[in-house]
Amino acid sequence: MPSINPEFLAACRESVQRQVELLSLLAASWNMQPNDVYYNWRSQRDQSGMIADTAWRYFFHGLECDISNQEDGRFVRIEFGPGGRADCLSSYSVLQFIMTSKAPWGYYPELQSQLADKPAPFNEHSGDYHAIHVLIEPLYTAKLIELAAPALLAIQEQALVVTPEGRQIYELPAPYNNPNTHGFWDMMVCHRMVLK
């Protein structure tokens, strides 16, 4: 079994820390609580823009939000989780963080060189998605990464139905079947992972 790379584990932890910090910064600029951003941006805010009085630009897409520093290129992808939490991670979000991280944040030159798929200077697209799996798999094996909402995932799995045409659909129970509820949006991200 491959061993855990301590520098990679530190980068994962810092990636989550920076996600939480930046979501709090964005929420404060919008006069709302951080866990409300996930539920409210579609109806109350622009998909992209600058965080007031900062160099940080946000861009919501799908069930994530990319936040990039327009002056130095630092980049964080917020992987939203149930309850609007911002401490979820994916191998891709960690990869993007590592490839762009620099002072005043942690700087990971050895990991950058190990994960790069092109020469420096690096940006959020410079990492090799396949290379990061060698580093993240030991975290799964050691059970340092777990589901953010196993109970919700169980409800989702029970709601899976195969139609006579062979299509897979979810027949979710209330309140999870109504897009106007938090439960619906929580169900969309119940598979997200968190670091213990």
Side-chain angles (χ1 to χ4, degrees):
M1 171 174 82
S3 61
I4 293 171
N5 178 318
E7 184 181 30
F8 179 71
L9 180 57
C12 289
R13 292 193 193 289
E14 184 178 5
S15 173
V16 169
Q17 173 191 348
R18 301 308 179 186
Q19 287 175 201
V20 171
E21 289 173 0
L22 288 169
L23 183 64
S24 294
L25 188 65
L26 177 59
S29 77
W30 287 357
N31 294 319
M32 66 176 65
Q33 294 298 310
N35 63 341
D36 290 333
V37 171
Y38 171 62
Y39 302 114
N40 294 314
W41 77 264
R42 288 170 197 78
S43 61
Q44 297 180 12
R45 303 294 172 175
D46 291 330
Q47 181 178 10
S48 64
M50 295 297 294
I51 298 176
D53 303 318
T54 74
W56 293 101
R57 179 171 188 72
Y58 66 86
F59 174 65
F60 287 93
H61 56 91
L63 303 170
E64 297 88 25
C65 179
D66 294 342
I67 301 184
S68 56
N69 188 294
Q70 301 301 290
E71 293 174 0
D72 64 19
R74 287 176 290 155
F75 183 95
V76 170
R77 169 168 286 182
I78 297 174
E79 303 270 351
F80 288 105
R85 64 192 294 175
D87 63 342
C88 297
L89 77 159
S90 69
S91 53
Y92 193 58
S93 67
V94 174
L95 177 63
Q96 290 181 303
F97 170 77
I98 289 170
M99 296 311 295
T100 63
S101 193
K102 58 186 65 135
W105 292 357
Y107 175 53
Y108 305 97
E110 289 180 23
L111 289 174
Q112 286 176 339
S113 109
Q114 182 178 351
L115 296 170
D117 68 355
K118 56 181 113 179
F122 301 128
N123 64 32
E124 68 270 20
H125 305 294
S126 297
D128 181 343
Y129 183 73
H130 301 288
I132 197 160
H133 288 284
V134 173
L135 294 171
I136 206 162
E137 284 305 318
L139 301 183
Y140 282 102
T141 302
K143 300 191 183 325
L144 292 174
I145 297 177
E146 62 187 5
L147 282 168
L152 284 180
L153 187 60
I155 293 169
Q156 186 183 64
E157 289 170 349
Q158 290 173 352
L160 181 62
V161 174
V162 179
T163 68
E165 299 82 28
R167 288 187 12 232
Q168 293 185 344
I169 61 170
Y170 291 101
E171 293 182 354
L172 296 167
Y176 306 111
N177 60 352
N178 181 346
N180 296 318
T181 66
H182 288 190
F184 176 86
W185 294 103
D186 287 346
M187 194 60 69
M188 297 300 106
V189 292
C190 68
H191 64 282
R192 295 281 165 88
M193 306 303 285
V194 292
L195 197 57
K196 283 186 180 178

